[in-house]
Amino acid sequence: MLIALFPGDGIGPEVIAEARRVLDALDLPGLTYEEGLVGGAAYKAKGHPLPPETLDIAERCNAILFGAVGDFDCDNLERHLRPEQAILGLRKALGLFANLRPATLFKELADASALRPEVATQIDMVIVRELNGDVYFGEKGMRTTADGKREGYDVMSYNEDEVRRIARVGFETARARKGRLCSVDKANVLETSQLWRDVMIETHKDYPDIELSHMYVDNAAMQLVRNPGQFDVIVTGNLFGDILSDQASMCAGSIGMLPSASLDTNQKGLYEPIHGSAPDIAGQGKANPLATILSAAMMLRYSLNMPEPADRIEAAVAKALEGGARTPDLGGSMTTQQMGDAVLAVL
Ligand code: IPM
Ligand code: MG
């Protein structure tokens, strides 16, 4: 089985290196690795954030472990050449439409949460975010209005098939957990959301065992910090899911802790920490590698059908935290590599 490693920009290479050390330590039979350039790193070397060589590896592999993209140097490039296009391009080219972002709090980190410990410890949810549509991929551009003013626009839309397939992932995810699905939209204002809600209600007929509720996104943002324990699975669109998952991560201790999986219809997936490239701390050994290490665990579980080593990684992370391992984002002073060492020591 071929695993593609795409470290990307900023802290990406540092955190991917630690995940690779953990995978190597497990000594899993039959795994091979191929590295590819993405993001600003790829633009600088090859003139494109997602060069054909990289796309070729992505198409051939069984799973992708992805670091992060984003580089201040590239912020003034035309949009199609910016680092972010690498991840957006991979999601689209490979049809990775279902983004699973679990947010759970390791109990040792209750103090690192932005919330009071007794509220934070209740968090145990999965955000299911649609990744191939919405305002991310609609028509967009800059134009000049009749009175000579500049105007930017991005069209938000979903068709019913796109909503139905992510609805099914949401219901299935809830079925494997506590059986509660909360669909988040803005149906009081947006037609896109009205269709979203209608299709959620229709699809619910196939999942009568699941409890479906609906929440407006502004209320969901508020409820996430007021009482995150009320959520089991949230299903939402691309833009709302982007925002709510960052928010959930801080409730769960640190954005440096949360992994994610982006899946197609055949369990092929791209696995990445939900944090970005953090160029401000790149190369300083300050990044927390645990979100990437936990992403590698998700990769073993979902795309490579290796649940036991996935469990071992997750248990080792918990043990390392129990033993007091902390990078700066968790209020400690360990380096990226020392955190990797702490996980390896348990393994
Ligand atoms: C994420 C990121 C990306 C997104 C960026 C890097 C394009 O924020 O994966 O959440 O907006 O989807
Ligand atoms: Mg984001």
Side-chain angles (χ1 to χ4, degrees):
M1 299 233 242
L2 178 61
I3 296 176
L5 295 175
F6 296 164
D9 303 320
I11 61 173
E14 300 160 58
V15 294
I16 288 285
E18 297 312 309
R20 175 69 196 270
R21 288 210 293 150
V22 168
L23 287 168
D24 286 345
L26 290 167
D27 204 18
L28 302 166
L31 296 191
T32 53
Y33 299 88
E34 227 174 294
E35 279 212 28
L37 288 167
V38 287
Y43 175 76
K44 285 171 186 166
K46 306 270 178 185
H48 196 279
L50 184 58
E53 305 86 302
T54 302
L55 199 51
D56 176 59
I57 303 173
E59 273 157 5
R60 280 188 287 112
C61 70
N62 300 89
I64 301 169
L65 191 58
F66 191 96
V69 288
D71 181 337
F72 294 146
D73 292 350
C74 299
D75 281 353
N76 292 320
L77 293 172
E78 278 176 64
R79 185 164 301 282
H80 75 280
L81 294 175
R82 290 199 203 159
E84 290 76 10
Q85 296 304 314
I87 185 67
L88 298 175
L90 283 169
R91 288 172 184 168
K92 198 70 177 178
L94 302 178
L96 306 170
F97 72 96
N99 188 211
L100 307 184
R101 298 191 159 186
T104 37
L105 181 79
F106 285 87
K107 59 182 186 315
E108 297 75 22
L109 297 182
D111 291 338
S113 170
L115 304 180
R116 285 195 312 280
E118 67 273 21
V119 179
T121 46
Q122 303 305 308
I123 298 177
D124 179 10
M125 73 177 105
V126 177
I127 297 181
V128 175
R129 169 188 174 196
E130 201 289 330
L131 273 190
N132 274 187
D134 201 354
V135 67
Y136 271 58
F137 291 101
E139 192 195 333
K140 58 177 75 238
M142 295 277 188
R143 60 192 167 204
T144 309
T145 60
D147 56 354
K149 304 266 187 228
R150 285 170 305 157
E151 184 173 79
Y153 61 97
D154 301 85
V155 176
M156 176 182 272
S157 74
Y158 267 123
N159 69 43
E160 58 180 306
D161 293 343
E162 292 172 309
V163 180
R164 206 169 286 117
R165 71 176 181 173
I166 196 69
R168 292 196 179 284
V169 176
F171 284 112
E172 298 286 346
T173 306
R175 185 173 271 172
R177 291 175 49 94
K178 293 179 208 140
R180 286 185 287 118
L181 181 65
C182 178
S183 169
V184 171
D185 63 36
K186 188 71 188 170
N188 51 346
V189 179
L190 304 172
E191 283 299 299
T192 314
S193 283
Q194 187 58 55
L195 177 81
W196 178 278
R197 190 174 283 219
D198 293 347
V199 174
M200 285 292 154
I201 292 167
E202 289 159 25
T203 311
H204 187 206
K205 299 199 176 85
D206 296 337
Y207 299 88
D209 52 317
I210 306 299
E211 182 192 318
L212 173 68
S213 60
H214 305 275
M215 205 180 267
Y216 297 137
V217 63
D218 49 349
N219 185 26
M222 187 271 276
Q223 297 295 339
L224 257 180
V225 288
R226 192 185 73 90
N227 174 18
Q230 70 186 285
F231 296 108
D232 179 22
V233 179
I234 287 178
V235 64
T236 190
N238 206 345
L239 181 64
F240 300 154
D242 178 44
I243 299 166
L244 293 179
S245 59
D246 268 31
Q247 188 180 343
S249 74
M250 246 2 246
C251 303
S254 162
I255 194 161
M257 289 299 302
L258 294 200
S260 76
S262 305
L263 304 172
D264 71 0
T265 45
N266 300 310
Q267 297 299 109
K268 176 165 175 170
L270 180 151
Y271 299 81
E272 58 173 330
I274 81 152
H275 63 67
S277 58
D280 51 319
I281 60 163
Q284 301 173 31
K286 288 185 183 163
N288 181 350
L290 293 181
T292 312
I293 292 171
L294 292 168
S295 297
M298 286 186 94
M299 174 177 80
L300 295 176
R301 178 170 297 118
Y302 288 103
S303 286
L304 304 178
N305 201 13
M306 298 181 174
E308 285 100 33
D311 290 344
R312 281 185 65 198
I313 293 178
E314 286 161 1
V317 167
K319 258 272 157 55
L321 291 170
E322 252 168 64
R326 299 281 188 280
T327 38
D329 58 304
L330 302 175
S333 61
M334 273 190 170
T335 65
T336 309
Q337 230 184 336
Q338 285 167 339
M339 183 58 109
D341 289 340
V343 175
L344 286 171
V346 182
L347 278 180

